Amino acid sequence: MRLLSSALITLLALTKLSFASSNSVLVVLDPSLDREDYSIFFGGLEERGYNLTFRAPKDTSPAITNYGVPNYDHVILFAPDTKSYAQDITPQSLVGLLSENTNLLIALSPKQTPLTSLAAEFSLILPPPETPLISHHPARSEPPTTIPVPVSSSPILTPGIPPIWFTGASHALGSTPMLVPILRAPAESFAADPTSDADSDALVSASEKGGEGLWAGSQMGLVTGFQTNVNSRVVFAGGVNMFSDEYARKELPSGELPGNALFVTDVAAWVFQEKMKLKIDAVDHHRVGESEAPEKYTINDEIVYTAHISAYDSETSTWKPYSGIDDLQLEFTMLDPHIRTSLPPVPGSPGTYQVQFRAPDRHGVFKFVLNWKRKGYSYLESSTTVPVVPPRHDQYPRFLSAAWPYYAGAISTSVGFFLFSALWLAGDVKGERKKGSKAE
Amino acid sequence: MAGPKSSSKSSPTSSETSVAVSTLWKSYLDQTPDRLKFIDAFLAFIVLSGVLQFVYCVLVTNFPFNAFLAGFASSVGQFVLTASLRAQVNPENRSEFKEVSPERAFADFALGSIVLHFFVFNFLG
Amino acid sequence: MIWQFSWLLLAATAQAASLSLQSPRFTISASDATQLRSDTLSLTKKPEPLTLGATDTLKLTFQITESDEGKGVQPHQTFLRFYDKESGEEGIQPVRVTPGGKAKFELNMMRPPASIPPTTHNPLEVSLILGSFVHAPAQYDLFDLYIPASQTPAEHPDEASFHVLPTIKHTFRPEQKSPPQSISAVFAAAVLSPWLVLIGLWSKIGVRVPNLFSISIVPFTALLGAFEVLLVWYWVDLKLGQVLLYGGILTIPTVFAGKQALYATGEWRAGRK
């Protein structure tokens, strides 16, 4: 009986680790914020199998890295107003974490902190300090800095999320395509000092000054993600209040409940690599009709290239073959792509993408290059080098009818030589000198 | 005689050249040993064979080019080897080729020809 | 106390006077100040879309008041919003408002402000956003505006790799055309025709071969013939390694046979001399 119950408990404990592939999270929580105020968010993470460890920004332990090796799989930085951290948290060390495949979720604020310069490294342009986002629309009883923001559809978010409450700073997005916009500001919002109507002149002057102008309108971002070259993800959220219980429960001006809880769950799922995570299992290539990759190809060979791709399924914590990519492309490159063709999925074979093409009639060292990047999805990159050689002397088309005269000529010369040699050796030497014709 | 002399002097050189050519030809037929004429016939055969291949290449097509080169080179190379054999075997050139007996010349000719034919058939395709 | 205070606040916001737009007018004039179009804007219906050429100027005047008949006010936020629905590009332009609520905005296409977004041939939807700390906010759709298309903003160099790239097909060298087989056959026969010349010349010269089948030279002749056969076989079938091997093997008897044959011919030449 005891054995059964302990086995049952172990089983239950194991099932808790269902969603996360890697699940240790360090939450750096500013002492001014209370952990209980964010119980819906943190509780949701723990339910999905993450182990949360809490510390304050100024604590020296637990450290985020040990001699360069990260101690945790993910880090949440809810310290938007903190101006000084312990020694192990600096913008450089956070960027170092990302290079070591640790994902980050960072909350910003209108105040100027070390995180401001970190955000600038990711092409996010923050407004001047102490200019939070305010909006007078829609008319509501909350202060202008607490704004209901409609959520537009995005592959990262579940469809149909109601508007969410937001307080914090907006940011302008740079042009780098590695940025993944998740939530944009409403069109009527802008960043300003929230005092009185008399400051309207100051607003106009700020915009006329030139330079960055006014942070206003729906081009501004509120929650933006960034996927690095090593496929680690970081999300910058303009404020920490959207994660709080209070905002999750506050009624919208229209009367319905906001989508904060659902929104922050989706954002955390993306940052912590639960969804839209892909990898290339294997690639192989061979000539049509063969099954093994040859050591080298000859020009004009018909080549078959196959890629196997899987996606991570967070519900079962396994990798499953994924055939959902419909714009995968293959390049056959020697310095420049000589051939670029689409790599369609094979119907009936999940996760397999295959194409057949003819090798160019130039010889050299070529690469099969697979390079698929789309916003929000892991980057798929693969490069396989193969030599392509010109044909051997007996691989060219031979015995052509066009060359009959030349064959006749060559054979004729050979036969002539043989006949000449036979007659010469056998010949009458007497004929070498002409009778009475010695040159004098 | 003044008449024929003056007539030969005043007539254009075409008759002079034709006289020279026929004299040359007659002299060749009379004075060249039979063995050398035997080689010359073979040389003429090689030249004709090469020229006809060249005419085909120019008039019709030069594809496949490697076959043309191989066939043409076969003729040219064989011509060179045979001509050098004739030069070395000719009794009138004895002073030039004191160390090379006609037998040695023929051995060189045979070896060179075999090697030439090897390259020709390698390239013929 | 707190309870009463919050009631008051609620009442204040509920009965806050709303901002309202009075007498909006627009004028489009050309670079030489001739008026091209001028009208008042109706708040219920959008006018015909406005069009601005590259040298035209749009002037917009209006007044903000408290409710429809109230006094002029200067709200915190008076923004013009230029929005391209197709591309999603947007520009926000704050408008200067006097304390009396009068506002004037001028858009000179020869020196457009930085807030105008990049445009294509699609129209910009122009709307007015009014917001205030003490009044209820308001928003008005004014008109659609066509302005000359701008240069597309410079793309990040990596942007192209995030989309489908154009297909590249390799143009192969065209297959070489062969001439008709009959012509090749005719020329092949032509190339064989010098044989007739050779046989003719040789017969005219009179080839005397008393030693053709002499035992001294037959092996050498036969081996030379064997070499030629090996080479033709190489052309048809063999690989390089094989032909070199067989050739090497054939060389050994050929050397001996050659020595013997040439010794014999040398003897004949000397003997008969």
Side-chain angles (χ1 to χ4, degrees):
Chain A
M1 192 58 205
R2 286 194 74 156
L3 202 64
L4 193 64
S5 58
S6 60
L8 211 61
I9 291 171
T10 321
L11 205 64
L12 278 173
L14 287 174
T15 52
K16 270 197 132 190
L17 300 165
S18 51
F19 292 103
S21 62
S22 42
N23 55 14
S24 58
V25 183
L26 177 68
V27 184
V28 178
L29 196 61
D30 195 84
S32 62
L33 300 171
D34 192 354
R35 178 178 165 174
E36 298 309 316
D37 289 339
Y38 298 85
S39 61
I40 298 182
F41 178 57
F42 291 133
L45 284 181
E46 279 174 344
E47 246 174 71
R48 295 169 75 81
Y50 293 97
N51 288 331
L52 303 180
T53 314
F54 289 82
R55 71 168 250 203
K58 290 223 177 57
D59 288 349
T60 47
S61 82
I64 53 173
T65 60
N66 237 335
Y67 301 107
V69 175
N71 284 332
Y72 296 91
D73 300 310
H74 317 286
V75 175
I76 299 181
L77 267 168
F78 278 175
D81 296 336
T82 315
K83 290 236 192 319
S84 67
Y85 293 84
Q87 261 191 339
D88 63 334
I89 299 184
T90 62
Q92 291 83 357
S93 71
L94 291 173
V95 171
L97 275 185
L98 282 172
S99 327
E100 297 293 331
N101 272 308
T102 304
N103 306 301
L104 304 176
L105 174 59
I106 299 178
L108 301 168
S109 84
K111 287 204 172 52
Q112 177 110 4
T113 66
L115 297 175
T116 317
S117 57
L118 179 66
E121 293 295 321
F122 291 87
S123 292
L124 298 179
I125 308 157
L126 287 159
E130 303 300 343
T131 53
L133 189 72
I134 66 177
S135 175
H136 298 292
H137 295 74
R140 56 192 184 276
S141 49
E142 285 84 9
T145 47
T146 309
I147 306 162
V149 179
V151 178
S152 46
S153 64
S154 153
I156 295 178
L157 305 168
T158 53
I161 300 184
I164 71 166
W165 287 107
F166 177 84
T167 300
S170 60
H171 45 257
L173 273 64
S175 63
T176 168
M178 292 161 116
L179 282 173
V180 182
I182 303 175
L183 185 69
R184 297 255 192 197
E188 314 90 8
S189 61
F190 56 101
D193 254 333
T195 44
S196 74
D197 269 2
D199 280 339
S200 66
D201 272 342
L203 270 183
V204 185
S205 318
S207 73
E208 282 172 0
K209 210 166 41 170
E212 301 290 0
L214 191 65
W215 271 254
S218 60
Q219 299 280 39
M220 300 298 114
L222 300 178
V223 179
T224 307
F226 187 95
Q227 177 151 315
T228 65
N229 276 326
V230 295
N231 281 333
S232 53
R233 296 171 176 168
V234 55
V235 164
F236 288 93
V240 74
N241 300 64
M242 71 170 96
F243 297 89
S244 67
D245 296 350
E246 178 199 340
Y247 277 42
R249 299 191 186 114
K250 191 201 287 274
E251 258 183 27
L252 291 169
S254 58
E256 52 175 10
L257 275 180
N260 283 60
L262 197 50
F263 178 79
V264 300
T265 310
D266 281 343
V267 167
W270 183 78
V271 179
F272 297 156
Q273 310 259 6
E274 276 180 43
K275 51 161 98 170
M276 297 169 87
K277 180 169 161 149
L278 307 170
K279 73 169 176 176
I280 303 179
D281 284 328
V283 298
D284 45 44
H285 55 90
H286 53 82
R287 274 189 268 252
V288 170
E290 297 175 13
S291 59
E292 290 289 312
E295 225 179 66
K296 49 183 168 254
Y297 287 101
T298 313
I299 64 175
N300 289 320
D301 267 353
E302 291 283 337
I303 303 178
V304 173
Y305 180 86
T306 314
H308 301 273
I309 295 181
S310 349
Y312 182 72
D313 181 7
S314 57
E315 276 161 50
T316 56
S317 290
T318 55
W319 290 90
K320 294 228 166 74
Y322 180 70
S323 284
I325 305 177
D326 55 359
D327 56 359
L328 198 54
Q329 282 183 309
L330 171 72
E331 285 174 11
F332 198 54
T333 306
M334 174 166 68
L335 302 178
D336 288 319
H338 284 242
I339 292 180
R340 188 186 291 132
T341 169
S342 72
L343 195 57
V346 175
S349 187
T352 315
Y353 299 78
Q354 195 177 73
V355 73
Q356 177 181 327
F357 65 96
R358 188 168 147 203
D361 53 8
R362 313 184 70 132
H363 59 270
V365 177
F366 280 85
K367 286 191 292 199
F368 292 103
V369 174
L370 196 61
N371 188 2
W372 186 79
K373 297 199 212 131
R374 301 287 180 267
K375 275 197 206 286
Y377 287 91
S378 311
Y379 304 138
L380 296 175
E381 281 167 321
S382 154
S383 170
T384 316
T385 311
V386 287
V388 174
V389 297
R392 284 199 319 262
H393 76 284
D394 50 0
Q395 278 176 326
Y396 284 97
R398 305 183 68 193
F399 311 116
L400 301 167
S401 72
W404 285 344
Y406 308 125
Y407 302 151
I411 294 180
S412 167
T413 310
S414 285
V415 172
F417 159 75
F418 169 69
L419 211 56
F420 172 81
S421 303
L423 295 175
W424 172 266
L425 286 171
D428 182 7
V429 187
K430 265 207 299 245
E432 259 187 26
R433 285 190 189 268
K434 204 72 172 174
K435 299 187 285 290
S437 66
K438 267 206 188 142
E440 211 73 56
Chain B
M1 295 290 283
K5 258 196 191 161
S6 58
S7 71
S8 67
K9 273 215 173 105
S10 60
S11 64
T13 50
S14 62
S15 66
E16 280 189 3
T17 51
S18 64
V19 163
V21 165
S22 62
T23 318
L24 179 65
W25 181 245
K26 252 215 189 57
S27 162
Y28 169 77
L29 287 177
D30 287 339
Q31 296 192 357
T32 319
D34 278 350
R35 285 277 267 187
L36 295 183
K37 282 206 198 132
F38 179 71
I39 301 184
D40 291 340
F42 189 50
L43 285 171
F45 162 79
I46 295 171
V47 166
L48 273 180
S49 157
V51 161
L52 286 168
Q53 288 179 71
F54 186 77
V55 162
Y56 173 76
C57 175
V58 165
L59 279 188
V60 181
T61 177
N62 69 349
F63 170 73
F65 198 56
N66 59 301
F68 162 68
L69 287 180
F72 193 64
S74 172
S75 302
V76 168
Q78 195 67 59
F79 180 87
V80 167
L81 288 168
T82 315
S84 77
L85 173 71
R86 185 192 194 280
Q88 291 175 325
V89 156
N90 194 349
E92 292 184 16
N93 289 342
R94 234 20 353 236
S95 52
E96 296 270 335
F97 297 106
K98 279 209 265 287
E99 310 88 33
V100 183
S101 67
E103 285 68 43
R104 170 67 196 279
F106 182 79
D108 290 341
F109 166 76
L111 176 66
S113 299
I114 299 287
V115 172
L116 170 75
H117 295 159
F118 167 70
F119 283 113
V120 163
F121 282 111
N122 197 23
F123 207 54
L124 196 55
Chain C
M1 277 303 276
I2 304 168
W3 174 85
Q4 278 176 326
F5 178 76
S6 55
W7 249 118
L8 216 58
L9 203 61
L10 211 62
T13 48
Q15 285 159 6
S18 58
L19 297 167
S20 116
L21 184 66
Q22 298 297 326
S23 51
R25 274 195 70 87
F26 72 89
T27 307
I28 301 181
S29 44
S31 51
D32 55 0
T34 49
Q35 242 188 38
L36 298 173
R37 188 172 161 189
S38 173
D39 207 350
T40 50
L41 287 166
S42 147
L43 298 177
T44 48
K45 193 168 88 83
K46 278 209 236 190
E48 288 293 309
L50 278 60
T51 310
L52 274 186
T55 52
D56 297 340
T57 304
L58 170 72
K59 281 199 194 44
L60 191 61
T61 56
F62 52 89
Q63 190 186 19
I64 316 282
T65 57
E66 229 178 35
S67 336
D68 282 334
E69 301 301 321
K71 58 178 176 53
V73 286
Q74 186 192 39
H76 183 228
Q77 173 191 25
T78 313
F79 289 170
L80 274 176
R81 177 184 186 234
F82 300 91
Y83 179 57
D84 181 341
K85 199 155 59 169
E86 298 275 332
S87 66
E89 297 278 357
E90 184 190 77
I92 302 280
Q93 174 67 47
V95 178
R96 201 176 280 280
V97 179
T98 66
K102 289 209 173 14
K104 191 166 72 137
F105 172 71
E106 191 173 306
L107 173 59
N108 187 347
M109 280 317 293
M110 288 199 286
R111 274 189 309 276
S115 58
I116 302 291
T119 47
T120 58
H121 57 275
N122 294 320
L124 289 174
E125 291 174 3
V126 182
S127 50
L128 185 66
I129 304 175
L130 302 173
S132 160
F133 289 104
V134 295
H135 300 104
Q139 202 170 4
Y140 296 95
D141 286 330
L142 296 179
F143 47 83
D144 288 343
L145 179 66
Y146 284 93
I147 56 177
S150 67
Q151 280 189 324
T152 44
E155 249 185 18
H156 192 270
D158 288 339
E159 181 69 44
S161 64
F162 277 72
H163 302 274
V164 174
L165 292 167
T167 313
I168 300 178
K169 274 189 168 11
H170 182 83
T171 39
F172 291 88
R173 240 171 284 138
E175 294 276 335
Q176 293 262 27
K177 278 189 296 114
S178 284
Q181 286 194 345
S182 48
I183 298 199
S184 300
V186 162
F187 273 90
V191 166
L192 290 176
S193 65
W195 273 103
L196 301 169
V197 172
L198 184 67
I199 303 295
L201 284 177
W202 275 352
S203 49
K204 191 141 159 259
I205 294 170
V207 174
R208 288 186 297 278
V209 276
N211 299 323
L212 189 58
F213 296 110
S214 155
I215 197 73
S216 334
I217 60 168
V218 158
F220 184 49
T221 319
L223 282 166
L224 282 180
F227 261 106
E228 294 294 331
V229 166
L230 173 69
L231 288 178
V232 174
W233 187 23
Y234 167 57
W235 175 50
V236 178
D237 199 19
L238 285 182
K239 294 251 178 309
L240 183 65
Q242 291 170 307
V243 73
L244 289 178
L245 178 69
Y246 300 157
I249 295 174
L250 259 188
T251 311
I252 301 169
T254 311
V255 167
F256 291 114
K259 274 203 158 104
Q260 184 189 11
L262 289 173
Y263 177 71
T265 55
E267 286 297 300
W268 295 334
R269 195 160 57 82
R272 304 261 175 97
K273 211 167 179 177

